[in-house]
Amino acid sequence: MVKSKSWTMVKHFEGLPKLEDFKLEEKELPPLKDGELLLESVFLSVDPYMRPYSKRMMKPGDVMIGSQVARVVESKNPAFEVGTYHVTNVGWTTHFISDGAGFQSLPKEWPENLPRSLAVGAAGMPGYTAYFGLLEICNPKEGEVVLVNCAAGAVGSLVGQIAKIKGCKVVGSAGSDDKVTYLKEIGFDEAFNYKTVNSLEEALKNASPEGYDCYFENVGGNYADVALQQMKQFGRISVCGAISLYNDSVPATGPYIQTYMLFKQLRMEGFLVTRWMQRYPEAQKHLLKWIAEGKLKYHEHVTNGFENMPAGFIGMLTGENIGKAVIKV
Amino acid sequence: MVKSKSWTMVKHFEGLPKLEDFKLEEKELPPLKDGELLLESVFLSVDPYMRPYSKRMMKPGDVMIGSQVARVVESKNPAFEVGTYHVTNVGWTTHFISDGAGFQSLPKEWPENLPRSLAVGAAGMPGYTAYFGLLEICNPKEGEVVLVNCAAGAVGSLVGQIAKIKGCKVVGSAGSDDKVTYLKEIGFDEAFNYKTVNSLEEALKNASPEGYDCYFENVGGNYADVALQQMKQFGRISVCGAISLYNDSVPATGPYIQTYMLFKQLRMEGFLVTRWMQRYPEAQKHLLKWIAEGKLKYHEHVTNGFENMPAGFIGMLTGENIGKAVIKV
């Protein structure tokens, strides 16, 4: 008998999630039937989307939502060999039985020098998010100026580097001096610590006195109020996240934006990366190529041990990570 | 000697413009030089954009901005015959001298049964605004649901009818029962008086329980907060105006919209119609054709007398007009 551990959500989060909101549960898995396979999670992903989605898609007692890189340890399904790796979406769970439906299998020719955790990172969902969210929605042109916040995060750090690959000037903001140093290391033209600048407006103006053509939005709220005013005519805003708003019980308020949208002829679009699901292989191919060429640098913030997953999640929400936050079982 | 009258702005408006903010000035025009022509305004346009633009583009003492249909009364320029009509942008002025640069000439074959005021109305700037702002930004598909506010206004009434021509279900709101009656007359599927409904949310839900694919925004502010929540996945919002915000000295505030934009994958774009200037003839051709076929009905709210132009402008801002507000000299 195989034992499977899962983290469930005890009750809906209020504000920032707390350790006591999670409960570790254990159950025994039944023997495999024909067509089934047993997998073990190798790397589990913790991502900002889990906070708002817990409210929208879960009820108390449910296993926390999420994806992982999992390895087949036993198979009664000829389509899935033991030892192969797949990205699955079964939530915060160590072992599980599946028929393989909906798996995104890792390429067999996975580069030897790259960790498979990239399949939930720079060459996985966060990578696809950066790739499509920037290229399809902002459509940045060579020579344009791109602003990204949460720039040292899993998605933001890739957005900035993809914009550099496309010949843009890239400005990023993050919440610590270490992160700012990291952004400069990976090629951002300008980077600042939004927590220590005198004023965000001044920092944005200094970083690009001419304004911004593209704005990859991860934060929302007050940050967006200020950034919107620095957009150029025909600026494009890709709304990938709004992490400053996820923990609010009462919706926060700010100035109406219609007049900015109007007179600057701005375009703002929110997206969920799943709309491009059919094109994930295309994105993964590009991302792995750029990584192999050294054009796309990645950094992982690894929390060791499944038992530490809630702490890893909370840490990611408070911004302790540089790059992608993953849990190594 | 020809005398020209102009309305100037005495000082920047605070809140709703008042009659004493305007001053009628008179001056004598010099004789024409070679290449010049003398024109008289026949119809002058009053439009919502003048309120925010007075703040952005004018200083106290300037002639009020705006366009008119003007007739050539004397010409020393062989390119412009006496008796021809042109749309010009010289502001609130009865007579003026020009070299003809930048004129949009009315087609010589102007339909006999249509007033030339349409060239600043349904077959002019408001028409182009409705045509491009709806078709290019909302891109409504047959069977989709389109919401438009200020629906009995110069632009809104055309937006709804163009959406009907494209096979959409159209919901409009306006600020009086007479306007609602008018909207039903011109073919809106659903229309309501936003001032008398119990709740805007309920009215929007009743009019289209399934939600809205397209939202043509003329109002902004609280209206937008409620409407945004009724959008369907992948909804498109065309920000044409924000009349509820134009008179604010201190920017009004409301809930941040990034989470709606994100989870519904909405696209919002502001526009100024001038971006399609090269395509005005295309739009005018379609608009005049639809008008001639009876598919596009227009209504004009005519204020007689140049001396009443400030009152006509203020009345338009407070919503006393159905359809296009024009001043007949």
Side-chain angles (χ1 to χ4, degrees), chain A residues 52-53 56 221-222 224-225 234 239-240 246 252-256 258 261-263 265-272 275, chain B residues 52-53 56 221-222 224-225 234 239-240 246 252-258 261-263 265-272 275:
Chain A
Y53 272 70
R56 293 168 170 261
N222 299 130
D225 297 338
F234 296 109
V239 183
C240 172
Y246 290 161
T253 60
Y256 285 115
Q258 289 94 351
M261 297 297 294
L262 180 54
F263 293 114
Q265 307 197 61
L266 304 179
R267 191 176 71 218
M268 177 189 287
E269 184 167 351
F271 73 93
L272 304 175
R275 72 159 90 166
Chain B
Y53 272 70
R56 292 168 171 263
N222 299 129
D225 296 338
F234 296 110
V239 181
C240 171
Y246 290 162
T253 60
Y256 285 114
I257 63 168
Q258 289 94 352
M261 297 297 294
L262 180 54
F263 293 114
Q265 307 196 61
L266 305 179
R267 192 176 70 218
M268 176 188 289
E269 184 166 350
F271 73 92
L272 305 176
R275 72 159 90 166

Short mmCIF file of all heavy atoms in Angstrom, two decimals, chain A residues 52-53 56 221-222 224-225 234 239-240 246 252-256 258 261-263 265-272 275, chain B residues 52-53 56 221-222 224-225 234 239-240 246 252-258 261-263 265-272 275:
data_model
loop_
_atom_site.label_atom_id
_atom_site.label_comp_id
_atom_site.label_asym_id
_atom_site.label_seq_id
_atom_site.Cartn_x
_atom_site.Cartn_y
_atom_site.Cartn_z
N PRO A 52 -6.22 33.86 -4.95
CA PRO A 52 -7.59 34.19 -5.38
C PRO A 52 -8.40 32.96 -5.80
O PRO A 52 -9.61 32.91 -5.60
CB PRO A 52 -7.38 35.15 -6.56
CG PRO A 52 -5.99 34.91 -7.04
CD PRO A 52 -5.21 34.51 -5.82
N TYR A 53 -7.74 31.96 -6.35
CA TYR A 53 -8.49 30.79 -6.81
C TYR A 53 -9.00 29.94 -5.67
O TYR A 53 -10.00 29.23 -5.82
CB TYR A 53 -7.65 29.95 -7.78
CG TYR A 53 -7.82 30.42 -9.19
CD1 TYR A 53 -7.30 31.65 -9.58
CD2 TYR A 53 -8.55 29.70 -10.12
CE1 TYR A 53 -7.47 32.13 -10.87
CE2 TYR A 53 -8.72 30.17 -11.41
CZ TYR A 53 -8.18 31.38 -11.78
OH TYR A 53 -8.37 31.84 -13.05
N ARG A 56 -12.34 31.19 -5.20
CA ARG A 56 -13.26 31.00 -6.31
C ARG A 56 -13.59 29.54 -6.55
O ARG A 56 -14.66 29.21 -7.04
CB ARG A 56 -12.64 31.55 -7.61
CG ARG A 56 -12.51 33.04 -7.57
CD ARG A 56 -11.64 33.57 -8.69
NE ARG A 56 -11.78 35.01 -8.69
CZ ARG A 56 -12.58 35.68 -9.51
NH1 ARG A 56 -13.28 35.05 -10.43
NH2 ARG A 56 -12.69 36.98 -9.42
N GLY A 221 -3.84 47.91 -7.85
CA GLY A 221 -3.98 48.86 -6.75
C GLY A 221 -3.23 50.16 -6.97
O GLY A 221 -3.17 50.67 -8.10
N ASN A 222 -2.65 50.69 -5.90
CA ASN A 222 -1.99 52.00 -5.97
C ASN A 222 -0.87 52.03 -6.98
O ASN A 222 -0.63 53.05 -7.63
CB ASN A 222 -1.38 52.36 -4.60
CG ASN A 222 -2.45 52.44 -3.53
OD1 ASN A 222 -2.31 51.84 -2.47
ND2 ASN A 222 -3.51 53.17 -3.80
N ALA A 224 -0.70 50.58 -9.78
CA ALA A 224 -1.28 50.78 -11.11
C ALA A 224 -1.72 52.22 -11.32
O ALA A 224 -1.57 52.78 -12.40
CB ALA A 224 -2.47 49.83 -11.30
N ASP A 225 -2.25 52.85 -10.26
CA ASP A 225 -2.67 54.26 -10.38
C ASP A 225 -1.51 55.12 -10.87
O ASP A 225 -1.68 55.99 -11.72
CB ASP A 225 -3.09 54.83 -9.01
CG ASP A 225 -4.29 54.13 -8.43
OD1 ASP A 225 -5.05 53.52 -9.21
OD2 ASP A 225 -4.47 54.19 -7.20
N PHE A 234 -1.22 55.17 -26.74
CA PHE A 234 -1.35 53.83 -27.32
C PHE A 234 -0.59 52.76 -26.51
O PHE A 234 -0.18 51.74 -27.04
CB PHE A 234 -0.90 53.79 -28.79
CG PHE A 234 -1.75 54.62 -29.70
CD1 PHE A 234 -1.27 55.79 -30.27
CD2 PHE A 234 -3.06 54.24 -29.98
CE1 PHE A 234 -2.06 56.57 -31.10
CE2 PHE A 234 -3.85 55.01 -30.82
CZ PHE A 234 -3.35 56.18 -31.39
N VAL A 239 -2.72 42.60 -17.95
CA VAL A 239 -3.03 42.34 -16.54
C VAL A 239 -2.90 40.84 -16.28
O VAL A 239 -3.77 40.05 -16.62
CB VAL A 239 -4.42 42.84 -16.14
CG1 VAL A 239 -4.66 42.59 -14.65
CG2 VAL A 239 -4.57 44.32 -16.45
N CYS A 240 -1.77 40.50 -15.70
CA CYS A 240 -1.45 39.10 -15.40
C CYS A 240 -1.85 38.77 -13.97
O CYS A 240 -2.24 37.65 -13.67
CB CYS A 240 0.04 38.91 -15.59
SG CYS A 240 0.63 37.32 -15.04
N TYR A 246 -5.21 40.65 -3.72
CA TYR A 246 -5.71 39.30 -3.48
C TYR A 246 -6.13 39.06 -2.02
O TYR A 246 -7.00 38.25 -1.77
CB TYR A 246 -4.66 38.25 -3.85
CG TYR A 246 -4.38 38.13 -5.32
CD1 TYR A 246 -3.21 37.52 -5.76
CD2 TYR A 246 -5.27 38.60 -6.28
CE1 TYR A 246 -2.94 37.39 -7.12
CE2 TYR A 246 -5.00 38.48 -7.64
CZ TYR A 246 -3.84 37.86 -8.05
OH TYR A 246 -3.56 37.73 -9.38
N ALA A 252 -10.41 47.23 -2.35
CA ALA A 252 -9.75 48.53 -2.20
C ALA A 252 -10.19 49.45 -3.34
O ALA A 252 -10.63 49.00 -4.39
CB ALA A 252 -8.24 48.33 -2.24
N THR A 253 -10.09 50.74 -3.07
CA THR A 253 -10.55 51.72 -4.06
C THR A 253 -9.42 52.65 -4.47
O THR A 253 -8.43 52.82 -3.75
CB THR A 253 -11.71 52.57 -3.52
OG1 THR A 253 -11.25 53.26 -2.35
CG2 THR A 253 -12.91 51.72 -3.17
N GLY A 254 -9.58 53.24 -5.63
CA GLY A 254 -8.62 54.21 -6.15
C GLY A 254 -9.29 55.03 -7.22
O GLY A 254 -10.46 54.81 -7.54
N PRO A 255 -8.56 55.99 -7.78
CA PRO A 255 -9.16 56.87 -8.80
C PRO A 255 -9.65 56.09 -10.02
O PRO A 255 -9.00 55.14 -10.44
CB PRO A 255 -8.01 57.79 -9.21
CG PRO A 255 -6.88 57.50 -8.31
CD PRO A 255 -7.15 56.27 -7.54
N TYR A 256 -10.78 56.50 -10.55
CA TYR A 256 -11.27 55.88 -11.79
C TYR A 256 -10.26 56.11 -12.91
O TYR A 256 -9.64 57.17 -13.00
CB TYR A 256 -12.62 56.47 -12.18
CG TYR A 256 -13.74 55.95 -11.31
CD1 TYR A 256 -14.44 56.80 -10.47
CD2 TYR A 256 -14.07 54.61 -11.34
CE1 TYR A 256 -15.47 56.32 -9.67
CE2 TYR A 256 -15.09 54.12 -10.54
CZ TYR A 256 -15.79 54.96 -9.71
OH TYR A 256 -16.79 54.48 -8.92
N GLN A 258 -10.91 55.64 -16.33
CA GLN A 258 -11.42 55.79 -17.70
C GLN A 258 -10.82 57.00 -18.43
O GLN A 258 -10.58 56.92 -19.63
CB GLN A 258 -12.95 55.90 -17.72
CG GLN A 258 -13.65 54.60 -17.40
CD GLN A 258 -14.00 54.46 -15.93
OE1 GLN A 258 -13.57 55.27 -15.11
NE2 GLN A 258 -14.75 53.44 -15.59
N MET A 261 -7.45 56.02 -19.68
CA MET A 261 -7.62 55.07 -20.78
C MET A 261 -7.98 55.80 -22.06
O MET A 261 -7.47 55.50 -23.15
CB MET A 261 -8.73 54.06 -20.46
CG MET A 261 -8.48 53.17 -19.25
SD MET A 261 -7.05 52.09 -19.40
CE MET A 261 -7.56 51.00 -20.73
N LEU A 262 -8.85 56.79 -21.91
CA LEU A 262 -9.39 57.52 -23.04
C LEU A 262 -8.35 58.44 -23.69
O LEU A 262 -8.04 58.31 -24.87
CB LEU A 262 -10.58 58.34 -22.53
CG LEU A 262 -11.34 59.21 -23.50
CD1 LEU A 262 -11.81 58.40 -24.69
CD2 LEU A 262 -12.54 59.83 -22.78
N PHE A 263 -7.81 59.33 -22.90
CA PHE A 263 -6.98 60.38 -23.50
C PHE A 263 -5.61 59.87 -23.93
O PHE A 263 -4.99 60.44 -24.81
CB PHE A 263 -6.90 61.60 -22.58
CG PHE A 263 -8.21 62.28 -22.44
CD1 PHE A 263 -8.89 62.31 -21.23
CD2 PHE A 263 -8.83 62.84 -23.55
CE1 PHE A 263 -10.13 62.90 -21.11
CE2 PHE A 263 -10.08 63.44 -23.44
CZ PHE A 263 -10.73 63.47 -22.22
N GLN A 265 -5.45 56.73 -24.96
CA GLN A 265 -5.82 55.63 -25.87
C GLN A 265 -5.12 54.33 -25.47
O GLN A 265 -4.52 53.65 -26.29
CB GLN A 265 -5.50 55.99 -27.32
CG GLN A 265 -6.12 57.34 -27.72
CD GLN A 265 -6.17 57.54 -29.21
OE1 GLN A 265 -6.81 56.78 -29.93
NE2 GLN A 265 -5.52 58.57 -29.70
N LEU A 266 -5.21 54.04 -24.17
CA LEU A 266 -4.56 52.84 -23.64
C LEU A 266 -5.42 51.61 -23.88
O LEU A 266 -6.64 51.69 -23.97
CB LEU A 266 -4.31 53.00 -22.14
CG LEU A 266 -3.50 54.22 -21.70
CD1 LEU A 266 -3.35 54.25 -20.19
CD2 LEU A 266 -2.14 54.25 -22.38
N ARG A 267 -4.77 50.49 -23.96
CA ARG A 267 -5.47 49.21 -24.03
C ARG A 267 -5.03 48.36 -22.85
O ARG A 267 -3.84 48.22 -22.59
CB ARG A 267 -5.14 48.49 -25.34
CG ARG A 267 -6.05 47.29 -25.59
CD ARG A 267 -5.77 46.64 -26.92
NE ARG A 267 -4.48 45.95 -26.87
CZ ARG A 267 -3.61 45.91 -27.87
NH1 ARG A 267 -3.85 46.52 -29.00
NH2 ARG A 267 -2.48 45.27 -27.74
N MET A 268 -5.99 47.85 -22.11
CA MET A 268 -5.71 47.00 -20.95
C MET A 268 -6.45 45.69 -21.15
O MET A 268 -7.63 45.69 -21.48
CB MET A 268 -6.20 47.69 -19.68
CG MET A 268 -6.02 46.86 -18.42
SD MET A 268 -6.85 47.62 -16.99
CE MET A 268 -5.78 49.00 -16.67
N GLU A 269 -5.72 44.60 -20.95
CA GLU A 269 -6.40 43.31 -21.11
C GLU A 269 -5.94 42.35 -20.03
O GLU A 269 -4.74 42.21 -19.77
CB GLU A 269 -6.11 42.72 -22.50
CG GLU A 269 -6.85 41.43 -22.77
CD GLU A 269 -6.83 41.03 -24.23
OE1 GLU A 269 -6.39 41.82 -25.09
OE2 GLU A 269 -7.26 39.90 -24.53
N GLY A 270 -6.91 41.73 -19.39
CA GLY A 270 -6.60 40.69 -18.42
C GLY A 270 -6.56 39.34 -19.12
O GLY A 270 -7.24 39.14 -20.12
N PHE A 271 -5.76 38.43 -18.59
CA PHE A 271 -5.69 37.12 -19.25
C PHE A 271 -5.42 36.02 -18.25
O PHE A 271 -4.82 36.23 -17.20
CB PHE A 271 -4.60 37.10 -20.33
CG PHE A 271 -3.21 37.08 -19.78
CD1 PHE A 271 -2.53 35.87 -19.58
CD2 PHE A 271 -2.56 38.25 -19.44
CE1 PHE A 271 -1.25 35.84 -19.06
CE2 PHE A 271 -1.27 38.23 -18.92
CZ PHE A 271 -0.63 37.03 -18.72
N LEU A 272 -5.89 34.84 -18.59
CA LEU A 272 -5.51 33.61 -17.91
C LEU A 272 -4.76 32.80 -18.95
O LEU A 272 -5.21 32.68 -20.10
CB LEU A 272 -6.75 32.86 -17.42
CG LEU A 272 -7.68 33.68 -16.51
CD1 LEU A 272 -8.94 32.89 -16.18
CD2 LEU A 272 -6.96 34.09 -15.23
N ARG A 275 -5.89 30.22 -21.90
CA ARG A 275 -6.48 30.48 -23.21
C ARG A 275 -5.55 30.09 -24.36
O ARG A 275 -5.99 29.92 -25.48
CB ARG A 275 -6.92 31.95 -23.35
CG ARG A 275 -5.79 32.93 -23.49
CD ARG A 275 -6.27 34.24 -24.13
NE ARG A 275 -6.72 35.19 -23.13
CZ ARG A 275 -6.93 36.48 -23.39
NH1 ARG A 275 -6.74 36.94 -24.62
NH2 ARG A 275 -7.31 37.31 -22.45
N PRO B 52 -13.67 68.15 -21.21
CA PRO B 52 -12.30 67.82 -20.78
C PRO B 52 -11.23 68.51 -21.62
O PRO B 52 -10.17 68.87 -21.10
CB PRO B 52 -12.24 66.29 -20.92
CG PRO B 52 -13.34 65.93 -21.86
CD PRO B 52 -14.42 66.95 -21.64
N TYR B 53 -11.50 68.71 -22.90
CA TYR B 53 -10.47 69.32 -23.75
C TYR B 53 -10.26 70.80 -23.44
O TYR B 53 -9.18 71.33 -23.69
CB TYR B 53 -10.80 69.11 -25.23
CG TYR B 53 -10.23 67.82 -25.72
CD1 TYR B 53 -10.76 66.60 -25.29
CD2 TYR B 53 -9.13 67.78 -26.56
CE1 TYR B 53 -10.24 65.40 -25.70
CE2 TYR B 53 -8.59 66.58 -26.98
CZ TYR B 53 -9.14 65.40 -26.55
OH TYR B 53 -8.60 64.21 -26.96
N ARG B 56 -7.50 70.73 -21.13
CA ARG B 56 -6.24 70.23 -21.64
C ARG B 56 -5.63 71.12 -22.69
O ARG B 56 -4.41 71.15 -22.87
CB ARG B 56 -6.46 68.85 -22.28
CG ARG B 56 -6.82 67.80 -21.26
CD ARG B 56 -7.33 66.53 -21.89
NE ARG B 56 -7.42 65.53 -20.85
CZ ARG B 56 -6.49 64.62 -20.59
NH1 ARG B 56 -5.42 64.53 -21.34
NH2 ARG B 56 -6.63 63.78 -19.59
N GLY B 221 -16.99 55.92 -14.03
CA GLY B 221 -17.39 56.05 -12.63
C GLY B 221 -18.19 54.87 -12.13
O GLY B 221 -17.94 53.72 -12.50
N ASN B 222 -19.18 55.16 -11.28
CA ASN B 222 -19.96 54.09 -10.64
C ASN B 222 -20.66 53.20 -11.64
O ASN B 222 -20.79 52.00 -11.42
CB ASN B 222 -21.05 54.70 -9.73
CG ASN B 222 -20.45 55.56 -8.64
OD1 ASN B 222 -20.86 56.70 -8.44
ND2 ASN B 222 -19.48 55.02 -7.94
N ALA B 224 -19.66 52.23 -14.47
CA ALA B 224 -18.69 51.25 -14.97
C ALA B 224 -18.43 50.15 -13.94
O ALA B 224 -18.28 48.99 -14.29
CB ALA B 224 -17.38 51.95 -15.35
N ASP B 225 -18.38 50.53 -12.65
CA ASP B 225 -18.16 49.53 -11.60
C ASP B 225 -19.19 48.41 -11.71
O ASP B 225 -18.87 47.23 -11.58
CB ASP B 225 -18.33 50.14 -10.20
CG ASP B 225 -17.30 51.21 -9.90
OD1 ASP B 225 -16.24 51.20 -10.56
OD2 ASP B 225 -17.56 52.04 -9.02
N PHE B 234 -14.04 37.24 -21.74
CA PHE B 234 -13.54 37.79 -23.00
C PHE B 234 -14.35 39.00 -23.50
O PHE B 234 -14.39 39.28 -24.69
CB PHE B 234 -13.44 36.72 -24.10
CG PHE B 234 -12.46 35.63 -23.80
CD1 PHE B 234 -12.87 34.34 -23.51
CD2 PHE B 234 -11.09 35.90 -23.79
CE1 PHE B 234 -11.96 33.34 -23.21
CE2 PHE B 234 -10.17 34.89 -23.50
CZ PHE B 234 -10.61 33.62 -23.22
N VAL B 239 -13.79 52.41 -24.48
CA VAL B 239 -13.96 53.62 -23.67
C VAL B 239 -13.95 54.83 -24.60
O VAL B 239 -12.90 55.27 -25.07
CB VAL B 239 -12.88 53.75 -22.59
CG1 VAL B 239 -13.12 55.01 -21.76
CG2 VAL B 239 -12.86 52.52 -21.70
N CYS B 240 -15.14 55.33 -24.85
CA CYS B 240 -15.33 56.47 -25.75
C CYS B 240 -15.40 57.75 -24.95
O CYS B 240 -15.01 58.81 -25.41
CB CYS B 240 -16.62 56.25 -26.51
SG CYS B 240 -17.14 57.66 -27.47
N TYR B 246 -16.05 64.07 -16.06
CA TYR B 246 -15.46 65.27 -16.68
C TYR B 246 -15.53 66.51 -15.80
O TYR B 246 -14.70 67.39 -15.89
CB TYR B 246 -16.16 65.59 -18.00
CG TYR B 246 -15.88 64.61 -19.11
CD1 TYR B 246 -16.73 64.56 -20.22
CD2 TYR B 246 -14.80 63.75 -19.08
CE1 TYR B 246 -16.49 63.68 -21.26
CE2 TYR B 246 -14.56 62.86 -20.11
CZ TYR B 246 -15.41 62.82 -21.20
OH TYR B 246 -15.19 61.96 -22.23
N ALA B 252 -12.67 61.20 -8.82
CA ALA B 252 -13.53 60.29 -8.06
C ALA B 252 -12.86 58.92 -7.96
O ALA B 252 -12.02 58.57 -8.79
CB ALA B 252 -14.88 60.17 -8.74
N THR B 253 -13.24 58.18 -6.93
CA THR B 253 -12.62 56.87 -6.71
C THR B 253 -13.67 55.77 -6.70
O THR B 253 -14.85 56.01 -6.47
CB THR B 253 -11.84 56.83 -5.38
OG1 THR B 253 -12.77 57.08 -4.32
CG2 THR B 253 -10.73 57.86 -5.34
N GLY B 254 -13.21 54.56 -6.95
CA GLY B 254 -14.07 53.39 -6.92
C GLY B 254 -13.19 52.16 -6.79
O GLY B 254 -11.97 52.26 -6.75
N PRO B 255 -13.82 50.98 -6.74
CA PRO B 255 -13.05 49.75 -6.55
C PRO B 255 -12.07 49.52 -7.70
O PRO B 255 -12.38 49.81 -8.86
CB PRO B 255 -14.13 48.65 -6.57
CG PRO B 255 -15.44 49.33 -6.62
CD PRO B 255 -15.25 50.76 -6.87
N TYR B 256 -10.91 49.01 -7.35
CA TYR B 256 -9.95 48.66 -8.39
C TYR B 256 -10.52 47.57 -9.29
O TYR B 256 -11.21 46.67 -8.81
CB TYR B 256 -8.63 48.18 -7.77
CG TYR B 256 -7.82 49.31 -7.22
CD1 TYR B 256 -7.57 49.42 -5.85
CD2 TYR B 256 -7.30 50.29 -8.05
CE1 TYR B 256 -6.83 50.47 -5.33
CE2 TYR B 256 -6.55 51.34 -7.55
CZ TYR B 256 -6.32 51.43 -6.19
OH TYR B 256 -5.59 52.46 -5.69
N ILE B 257 -10.18 47.66 -10.57
CA ILE B 257 -10.83 46.77 -11.54
C ILE B 257 -9.92 45.63 -12.00
O ILE B 257 -10.35 44.78 -12.76
CB ILE B 257 -11.31 47.54 -12.77
CG1 ILE B 257 -10.12 48.16 -13.53
CG2 ILE B 257 -12.30 48.62 -12.37
CD1 ILE B 257 -10.51 48.68 -14.89
N GLN B 258 -8.67 45.61 -11.55
CA GLN B 258 -7.75 44.63 -12.13
C GLN B 258 -8.22 43.19 -11.95
O GLN B 258 -8.01 42.37 -12.84
CB GLN B 258 -6.34 44.78 -11.55
CG GLN B 258 -5.60 46.03 -12.02
CD GLN B 258 -5.78 47.19 -11.08
OE1 GLN B 258 -6.56 47.12 -10.13
NE2 GLN B 258 -5.07 48.28 -11.31
N MET B 261 -10.79 42.49 -14.58
CA MET B 261 -10.12 42.42 -15.89
C MET B 261 -9.45 41.05 -16.05
O MET B 261 -9.50 40.44 -17.12
CB MET B 261 -9.06 43.51 -16.01
CG MET B 261 -9.56 44.93 -15.94
SD MET B 261 -10.69 45.39 -17.29
CE MET B 261 -9.60 45.29 -18.70
N LEU B 262 -8.85 40.61 -14.97
CA LEU B 262 -8.06 39.38 -14.98
C LEU B 262 -8.94 38.13 -15.10
O LEU B 262 -8.80 37.35 -16.04
CB LEU B 262 -7.25 39.34 -13.68
CG LEU B 262 -6.34 38.17 -13.43
CD1 LEU B 262 -5.38 37.99 -14.58
CD2 LEU B 262 -5.56 38.41 -12.13
N PHE B 263 -9.85 37.98 -14.17
CA PHE B 263 -10.56 36.70 -14.10
C PHE B 263 -11.61 36.56 -15.20
O PHE B 263 -11.98 35.44 -15.56
CB PHE B 263 -11.14 36.48 -12.71
CG PHE B 263 -10.06 36.31 -11.69
CD1 PHE B 263 -9.84 37.23 -10.69
CD2 PHE B 263 -9.20 35.21 -11.78
CE1 PHE B 263 -8.82 37.08 -9.78
CE2 PHE B 263 -8.16 35.06 -10.87
CZ PHE B 263 -7.97 35.99 -9.86
N GLN B 265 -10.95 38.01 -18.09
CA GLN B 265 -10.14 38.20 -19.30
C GLN B 265 -10.73 39.29 -20.19
O GLN B 265 -10.90 39.11 -21.40
CB GLN B 265 -9.98 36.88 -20.06
CG GLN B 265 -9.47 35.76 -19.16
CD GLN B 265 -8.93 34.59 -19.95
OE1 GLN B 265 -7.99 34.71 -20.72
NE2 GLN B 265 -9.51 33.41 -19.75
N LEU B 266 -11.05 40.42 -19.55
CA LEU B 266 -11.65 41.52 -20.28
C LEU B 266 -10.59 42.35 -21.00
O LEU B 266 -9.44 42.41 -20.56
CB LEU B 266 -12.43 42.43 -19.32
CG LEU B 266 -13.50 41.75 -18.46
CD1 LEU B 266 -14.16 42.77 -17.53
CD2 LEU B 266 -14.54 41.08 -19.34
N ARG B 267 -11.02 42.98 -22.05
CA ARG B 267 -10.14 43.93 -22.74
C ARG B 267 -10.82 45.29 -22.74
O ARG B 267 -12.01 45.40 -23.08
CB ARG B 267 -9.90 43.49 -24.18
CG ARG B 267 -8.77 44.27 -24.86
CD ARG B 267 -8.49 43.76 -26.25
NE ARG B 267 -9.59 44.08 -27.13
CZ ARG B 267 -10.05 43.29 -28.10
NH1 ARG B 267 -9.49 42.13 -28.32
NH2 ARG B 267 -11.05 43.67 -28.86
N MET B 268 -10.10 46.31 -22.31
CA MET B 268 -10.65 47.66 -22.28
C MET B 268 -9.71 48.56 -23.06
O MET B 268 -8.50 48.49 -22.87
CB MET B 268 -10.73 48.14 -20.82
CG MET B 268 -11.18 49.57 -20.67
SD MET B 268 -11.05 50.17 -18.94
CE MET B 268 -12.37 49.25 -18.17
N GLU B 269 -10.28 49.35 -23.95
CA GLU B 269 -9.41 50.24 -24.72
C GLU B 269 -10.07 51.59 -24.86
O GLU B 269 -11.25 51.70 -25.20
CB GLU B 269 -9.12 49.63 -26.10
CG GLU B 269 -8.15 50.45 -26.91
CD GLU B 269 -7.61 49.71 -28.13
OE1 GLU B 269 -7.83 48.50 -28.26
OE2 GLU B 269 -6.96 50.38 -28.96
N GLY B 270 -9.30 52.63 -24.56
CA GLY B 270 -9.76 53.99 -24.79
C GLY B 270 -9.36 54.44 -26.18
O GLY B 270 -8.35 53.99 -26.71
N PHE B 271 -10.16 55.32 -26.76
CA PHE B 271 -9.80 55.78 -28.11
C PHE B 271 -10.24 57.21 -28.34
O PHE B 271 -11.20 57.69 -27.73
CB PHE B 271 -10.42 54.87 -29.17
CG PHE B 271 -11.91 55.07 -29.32
CD1 PHE B 271 -12.42 55.97 -30.26
CD2 PHE B 271 -12.81 54.39 -28.52
CE1 PHE B 271 -13.79 56.17 -30.39
CE2 PHE B 271 -14.17 54.59 -28.64
CZ PHE B 271 -14.66 55.48 -29.58
N LEU B 272 -9.50 57.86 -29.20
CA LEU B 272 -9.91 59.15 -29.76
C LEU B 272 -10.12 58.88 -31.25
O LEU B 272 -9.28 58.24 -31.89
CB LEU B 272 -8.82 60.20 -29.55
CG LEU B 272 -8.37 60.39 -28.09
CD1 LEU B 272 -7.22 61.37 -28.01
CD2 LEU B 272 -9.55 60.88 -27.25
N ARG B 275 -7.69 58.78 -34.51
CA ARG B 275 -6.73 57.78 -34.94
C ARG B 275 -7.14 57.12 -36.27
O ARG B 275 -6.31 56.52 -36.93
CB ARG B 275 -6.49 56.72 -33.86
CG ARG B 275 -7.63 55.77 -33.65
CD ARG B 275 -7.16 54.48 -32.98
NE ARG B 275 -7.24 54.57 -31.54
CZ ARG B 275 -7.15 53.51 -30.73
NH1 ARG B 275 -6.95 52.31 -31.24
NH2 ARG B 275 -7.25 53.64 -29.43
#
